[in-house]
């Protein structure tokens, strides 16, 4: 069995005190026998007993009670040296897993020491049951005075610069709460630094070393590393000897063990509380995760994440930012923060910004002091920060006005929340993309249906005409019939071209560029058979759009004006005066008011030669740019098409 430090101290003590004692473990084996005890039982020496059964020295009926962890008797009978002699009685005490056998105090010469020894063991048991440090210190002071007979004593706790008096006996010249600077606490500091007990015989100061307490003439100073120091004092010189020192050491040893136990218990309670707090926080994070599953937008996830950080972790200064075109832009902030407190726009390559650094590295950072670490905070009062990446699209940051406000545990727990937020955002992005594709597929299917209708209906008539007239010409040799067939083929070609143009306008414009309307309008006019038509351009504005798509818009509007006007027609293009946009109007017969709402429908036409797709193409081009178009009457009564909602229009 391993011998504890307290048991080793005790054995040294009893050897020095020359008491007839023995120690036995819970298997009934003798582990220590003092020479005085070996002599008392008539043994040749301690070696002949150590390691042997306790029945060698104790009556068998008593020895059985010493085996195992159960209760032990108060006394046992020692085997007599002569068969007819009565066996002497020994008191028993359990000490650190072993059992000490010691003669009653009245049965030994050093009765006072034996009684003190028994009282100290009782003190040890009391110290093991104390629940507070104040009670522990009180027990030590009482034992030093009542058991060891010291006149006065104190306990002082050490720190880097001073000793603070924590407990004193009734007549001690110092009071609890007094601080003694290390340089002034001569005896206390000397014993504490070398970690050795000292007996000072005459002319000492209670604590300070400056003779300010002239009544104290001798002392015992015992360090209690790393806690502090115990000191026994006397008003007379030479009051203490080595025996007093050893007894004081034994008392202080028990006190030190109690202090360590209290510290371990405090640490354990603190760790348990921290673990319980973390458990609750993790459960709360998982609850928030379930709520995130119902979020349908990024902003909803941002706001829920911010709210969770405030409620679960009590961090009120936080923000979420997204990267847009190489710039970090704040999207959501905590209740103790406003968007004005954040950087409006932070380039992701900015070296002195923690958010940019976090995004570039894709790692989490705990910064105890922002300025010391080389980062420029958004506000001068911000000292420390916790910064986490949100996938490849953003950053989540929490800041504090105190230095070192966050640790790795905070980082790990907030990372858990951030991971769920990233997962929710990715889910929303996937669902948004799937919905977009579904809409596109639905639109494509609708277009296919329309194209199928156009091909099966609009192309069938001219195809039949061309087929019949060609057959007639072959049968009769009348080539005049081929002119009608050619007209039908031309109509079919126009329908096919319009269908192809319409198919290409089905999606939004991806690459917008500055387009000068004057130049584009004139180029489109040259592509249309204008005959006697006249063009007036009253704009030199530049718009953001796709020039190829806009070419189809103008060409179809020009063709529509010419097709519906028998005489010479004038077409004008200009800027709208009250709204951001432009118009295309003519001085032809115009569109009846009851028909204006239908002219953009596919297949609608009031002309026998029209395909019914030209204005539908115009509507698709406008929609692809995110604009709006409506048909109204011009001042001359002709048709006027107004295109509005044009972004970034440079009017001139």
């Amino acid at each position: 069995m391993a011998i504890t430090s307290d048991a080793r101290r005790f054995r040294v003590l009893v050897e020095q005190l020359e008491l007839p004692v023995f120690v036995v473990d819970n298997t009934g084996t003798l582990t220590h026998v003092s020479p005085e005890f070996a002599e008392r039982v008539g043994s040749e020496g301690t070696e002949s007993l150590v390691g042997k059964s306790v029945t060698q020295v104790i009556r068998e009926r008593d020895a059985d009670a010493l085996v195992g962890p159960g209760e032990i008797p108060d006394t046992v009978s020692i085997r007599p040296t002569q068969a007819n002699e009565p066996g002497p009685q020994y008191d028993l005490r359990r000490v650190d897993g072993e059992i000490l056998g010691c003669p009653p105090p009245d049965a030994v010469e050093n009765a006072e020491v034996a009684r003190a020894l028994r009282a100290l063991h009782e003190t040890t048991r009391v110290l093991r049951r104390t629940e507070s440090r104040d009670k522990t210190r009180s027990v030590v002071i009482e034992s030093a005075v009542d058991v060891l007979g010291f006149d006065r004593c104190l306990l002082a706790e050490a720190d880097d610069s001073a000793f603070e008096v924590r407990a004193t006996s009734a007549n001690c010249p110092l009071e609890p709460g007094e601080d003694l600077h290390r340089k002034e606490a001569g005896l206390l500091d000397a014993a504490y630094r070398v970690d050795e007990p000292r007996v000072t015989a005459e002319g000492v100061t209670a604590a300070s070393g400056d003779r300010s307490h002239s009544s104290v003439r001798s002392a015992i100073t015992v360090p209690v590393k790393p806690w502090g120091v115990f000191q026994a004092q006397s008003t007379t010189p030479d009051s203490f000897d080595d025996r007093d020192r050893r007894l004081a050491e034994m008392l202080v040893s028990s006190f030190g063990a109690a202090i360590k136990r209290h510290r371990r218990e405090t640490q354990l309670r603190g760790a348990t509380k921290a673990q319980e707090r973390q458990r609750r926080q993790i459960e709360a994070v998982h609850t928030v995760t379930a709520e995130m599953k119902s979020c349908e937008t990024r902003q909803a996830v941002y706001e829920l994440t911010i709210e969770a950080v405030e409620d679960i972790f009590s961090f009120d200064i936080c923000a979420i930012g997204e990267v847009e075109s190489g710039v970090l832009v704040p999207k959501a902030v905590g209740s103790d923060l406003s968007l004005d407190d954040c950087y409006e726009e932070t380039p992701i390559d900015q070296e002195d910004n923690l958010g940019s650094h976090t995004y570039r590295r894709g790692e989490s950072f705990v910064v105890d002091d922002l300025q010391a670490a080389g980062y420029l905070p958004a506000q001068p009062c911000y000292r420390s920060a916790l910064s986490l990446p949100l996938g490849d699209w953003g950053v989540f940051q929490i800041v504090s006005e105190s230095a070192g406000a966050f640790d790795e545990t905070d980082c790990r727990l907030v990372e858990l929340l951030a991971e769920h937020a990233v997962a929710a955002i990715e889910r929303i992005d996937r669902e948004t993309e799937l919905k977009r594709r579904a809409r596109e597929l639905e639109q494509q299917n609708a277009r296919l249906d329309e194209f199928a209708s156009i091909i099966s209906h609009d192309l069938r008539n001219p195809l039949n005409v061309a087929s019949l007239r060609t057959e007639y010409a072959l049968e009769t040799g009348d080539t005049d019939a081929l002119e009608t067939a050619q007209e039908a083929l031309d109509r079919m070609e126009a329908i096919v071209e319009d269908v192809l143009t319409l198919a290409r306008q089905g999606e939004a414009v991806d690459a917008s560029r500055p387009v000068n309307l004057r130049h584009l309008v004139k180029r489109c006019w040259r592509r249309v058979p204008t005959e006697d038509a006249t063009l007036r351009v009253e704009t030199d504005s530049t718009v953001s759009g796709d020039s190829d798509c806009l070419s189809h818009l103008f060409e179809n509007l020009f063709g529509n004006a010419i097709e519906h006007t028998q005489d010479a027609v004038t077409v004008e293009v200009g800027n709208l005066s009250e709204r951001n946009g432009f118009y295309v109007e003519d001085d032809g017969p115009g569109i009846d008011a009851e028909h204006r709402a239908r002219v953009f429908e596919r297949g609608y036409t009031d002309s026998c030669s029209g395909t019914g797709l030209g204005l539908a193409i115009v509507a698709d081009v406008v929609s692809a740019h995110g604009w709006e178009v409506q048909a109204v009457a011009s001042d001359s009564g002709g048709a006027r098409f107004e295109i509005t909602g044009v972004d970034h229009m440079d009017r001139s």
Side-chain angles (χ1 to χ4, degrees):
M1 174 181 292
I3 300 175
T4 65
S5 59
D6 286 345
R8 186 177 296 108
R9 283 178 180 268
F10 169 73
R11 292 190 182 179
V12 172
L13 180 63
V14 295
E15 288 174 3
Q16 292 177 337
L17 295 177
E18 299 178 352
L19 293 174
V21 299
F22 69 88
V23 178
V24 61
D25 63 19
N26 57 11
T27 67
T29 303
L30 290 166
T31 60
H32 172 74
V33 175
S34 69
E36 292 77 16
F37 181 78
E39 181 180 354
R40 172 167 290 192
V41 297
S43 176
E44 296 180 356
T46 59
E47 296 81 1
S48 62
L49 294 177
V50 174
K52 301 296 180 61
S53 172
V54 73
T55 57
Q56 296 284 329
V57 295
I58 295 177
R59 294 181 183 275
E60 292 184 6
R61 65 174 180 269
D62 292 335
D64 293 339
L66 305 185
V67 179
E71 291 293 329
I72 62 172
D74 293 332
T75 62
V76 293
S77 295
I78 302 301
R79 282 183 178 276
T81 55
Q82 301 294 329
N84 58 352
E85 290 182 359
Q89 295 294 305
Y90 259 54
D91 292 342
L92 298 181
R93 294 289 184 274
R94 192 179 293 279
V95 180
D96 296 306
E98 295 181 309
I99 299 170
L100 164 69
C102 184
D106 296 337
V108 294
E109 295 180 2
N110 202 341
E112 182 181 350
V113 174
R115 279 192 292 269
L117 187 61
R118 293 180 60 187
L120 287 178
H121 284 306
E122 181 61 29
T123 299
T124 299
R125 285 196 292 271
V126 172
L127 289 174
R128 287 174 179 169
R129 295 192 300 269
T130 56
E131 297 181 355
S132 69
R133 296 185 182 183
D134 287 342
K135 179 61 175 178
T136 300
R137 293 191 288 263
S138 175
V139 169
V140 171
I141 294 297
E142 290 175 3
S143 296
V145 174
D146 297 339
V147 175
L148 302 184
F150 296 153
D151 293 341
R152 58 180 68 169
C153 53
L154 64 86
L155 283 167
E157 187 172 0
D159 61 23
D160 292 338
S161 61
F163 290 95
E164 180 181 354
V165 178
R166 289 294 191 179
T168 63
S169 59
N171 54 354
C172 183
L174 296 173
E175 294 292 336
E178 290 190 48
D179 284 338
L180 304 170
H181 195 276
R182 294 286 289 268
K183 293 182 178 179
E184 298 174 347
L187 290 178
L188 298 180
D189 189 54
Y192 184 81
R193 281 189 292 104
V194 299
D195 193 20
E196 290 182 0
R198 294 193 173 186
V199 177
T200 307
E202 184 177 0
V204 302
T205 299
S208 65
D210 61 359
R211 299 183 182 274
S212 59
H213 301 290
S214 57
S215 62
V216 178
R217 302 301 304 277
S218 57
I220 300 174
T221 310
V222 183
V224 194
K225 279 294 193 78
W227 180 83
V229 177
F230 167 84
Q231 189 175 71
Q233 307 167 355
S234 177
T235 57
T236 59
D238 298 320
S239 293
F240 306 106
D241 55 20
D242 285 341
R243 185 197 67 180
D244 296 319
R245 176 182 58 80
R246 290 193 292 270
L247 290 172
E249 281 187 84
M250 190 170 184
L251 175 62
V252 169
S253 174
S254 298
F255 171 67
I259 289 294
K260 291 178 182 178
R261 175 176 61 81
H262 285 305
R263 286 182 175 175
R264 287 195 301 269
E265 291 173 351
T266 300
Q267 292 171 353
L268 182 60
R269 285 194 294 268
T272 302
K273 289 181 181 178
Q275 291 172 353
E276 177 62 20
R277 183 176 65 255
Q278 292 175 19
R279 184 190 64 78
R280 291 195 300 268
Q281 289 174 335
I282 292 173
E283 289 179 353
V285 167
H286 287 305
T287 300
V288 173
T289 302
E291 296 179 19
M292 285 182 179
K293 293 180 180 178
S294 62
C295 292
E296 297 181 355
T297 64
R298 284 192 173 198
Q299 192 63 34
V301 174
Y302 295 160
E303 292 174 0
L304 187 58
T305 301
I306 294 291
E307 181 181 347
V309 167
E310 293 183 334
D311 292 344
I312 299 173
F313 305 105
S314 300
F315 298 149
D316 299 326
I317 311 177
C318 50
I320 293 177
E322 280 187 12
V323 173
E324 299 176 354
S325 302
V327 175
L328 189 61
V329 180
K331 294 294 184 180
V333 297
S335 57
D336 282 1
L337 194 65
S338 68
L339 290 175
D340 294 337
D341 296 324
C342 302
Y343 294 102
E344 292 184 0
E345 292 185 350
T346 306
I348 58 175
D349 57 357
Q350 184 169 325
E351 293 295 334
D352 61 358
N353 184 269
L354 179 59
S356 299
H357 184 63
T358 301
Y359 179 79
R360 293 196 307 271
R361 294 286 298 273
E363 300 176 9
S364 301
F365 291 93
V366 179
V367 181
D368 292 334
D369 191 318
L370 287 167
Q371 293 187 357
Y375 297 112
L376 179 64
Q379 297 294 326
C381 60
Y382 297 158
R383 293 290 307 279
S384 57
L386 177 57
S387 185
L388 306 92
L390 295 176
D392 57 358
W393 45 266
V395 172
F396 180 32
Q397 289 187 291
I398 306 171
V399 298
S400 173
E401 296 180 1
S402 301
F406 311 101
D407 57 25
E408 291 300 327
T409 300
D410 295 327
C411 183
R412 288 193 297 271
L413 290 173
V414 177
E415 276 181 334
L416 178 61
L417 178 63
E419 288 171 2
H420 290 306
V422 170
I425 293 295
E426 291 176 347
R427 173 187 58 78
I428 291 171
D429 288 349
R430 288 194 301 270
E431 292 175 353
T432 301
E433 178 64 17
L434 288 174
K435 291 177 182 177
R436 184 188 67 79
R437 292 182 181 180
R439 287 194 299 269
E440 288 183 353
L441 183 59
E442 184 178 354
Q443 293 172 355
Q444 290 174 357
N445 289 337
R447 287 179 181 279
L448 288 175
D449 290 341
E450 293 171 351
F451 298 156
S453 175
I454 292 170
I455 292 172
S456 64
H457 181 269
D458 293 5
L459 289 180
R460 183 174 293 156
N461 289 336
L463 181 61
N464 288 337
V465 170
S467 178
L468 290 173
R469 302 307 291 176
T470 301
E471 182 179 351
Y472 176 78
L474 291 174
E475 291 177 353
T476 64
D478 183 3
T479 57
D480 290 341
L482 293 178
E483 293 182 3
T484 303
Q486 182 63 48
E487 291 175 357
L489 292 173
D490 290 343
R491 178 170 173 76
M492 291 173 59
E493 181 180 1
I495 291 174
V496 170
E497 288 181 356
D498 281 352
V499 169
L500 291 175
T501 300
L502 194 63
R504 296 187 184 105
Q505 308 308 317
E507 298 180 357
V509 173
D510 291 330
S512 295
R513 292 181 175 82
V515 178
N516 183 271
L517 289 181
R518 175 180 291 276
H519 296 160
L520 179 63
V521 165
K522 289 185 176 180
R523 186 166 64 249
C524 293
W525 185 261
R526 290 192 294 268
R527 297 175 183 169
V528 179
T530 55
E531 300 177 354
D532 296 332
T534 301
L535 174 69
R536 287 205 303 263
V537 183
E538 301 297 334
T539 178
D540 197 23
S541 297
T542 298
V543 301
S544 178
D546 186 306
S547 60
D548 290 338
C549 292
L550 291 176
S551 295
H552 293 304
L553 180 147
F554 287 114
E555 289 172 11
N556 278 279
L557 289 177
F558 295 160
N560 184 75
I562 294 169
E563 179 182 346
H564 289 82
T565 304
Q566 295 179 351
D567 300 327
V569 64
T570 298
V571 179
E572 181 176 293
V573 180
N575 295 331
L576 294 174
S577 58
E578 297 181 356
R579 289 178 291 176
N580 205 24
F582 57 89
Y583 66 86
V584 178
E585 66 177 23
D586 60 59
D587 56 0
I591 305 172
D592 293 340
E594 63 268 21
H595 294 157
R596 290 171 189 165
R598 298 188 55 200
V599 295
F600 298 107
E601 297 177 2
R602 293 178 176 85
Y604 176 82
T605 181
D606 60 358
S607 171
C608 60
S609 61
T611 64
L613 300 176
L615 292 182
I617 292 173
V618 170
D620 278 359
V621 170
V622 170
S623 177
H625 282 78
W627 305 338
E628 295 180 358
V629 61
Q630 65 175 349
V632 297
S634 67
D635 292 340
S636 63
R640 177 182 171 99
F641 297 91
E642 296 182 347
I643 292 86
T644 59
V646 181
D647 295 331
H648 309 296
M649 184 168 178
D650 177 22
R651 304 171 64 89
S652 55

